[in-house]
Amino acid sequence: MTLRHIVSWKLSGETRADRDAQAAEIAAALTPLTELVPTVRALAVHRNELFDGDNYDVTLVADFDDADGLAVYATHPDHVAAAGVVKQHAVARVATDFTV
């Protein structure tokens, strides 16, 4: 089984271009975690494409073997640094975790 961790953020940028730039910065911070955090099995960052302003702006989808793997990721120094980048731009966050 795999634990899937999905997090979406609303970004603070005033325009679509501002939010696009913020999303790119967030993706650049999070994507390398695939290689840096040993418990990450898969990780992708996606920019929302439809219903700009209504939907959340950017989403992380990450897979782990189990909740312990997610806990390692959450406290890993490289993730903590990447989360700092996200926090600079995010005004809201929603997450869900489930087994697939």
Side-chain angles (χ1 to χ4, degrees), residues 57-94:
D57 298 297
V58 64
T59 297
L60 164 78
V61 180
D63 290 344
F64 303 88
D65 288 340
D66 52 31
D68 291 337
L70 176 59
V72 168
Y73 166 80
T75 59
H76 191 282
D78 291 312
H79 173 262
V80 172
V85 172
V86 175
K87 289 177 183 179
Q88 291 174 7
H89 302 302
V91 295
R93 176 189 181 274
V94 62

Side-chain angles (χ1 to χ4, degrees), residues 35-48:
E35 301 300 323
L36 299 172
V37 181
T39 60
V40 174
R41 298 297 168 241
L43 184 147
V45 179
H46 303 277
R47 175 66 170 103
N48 178 60

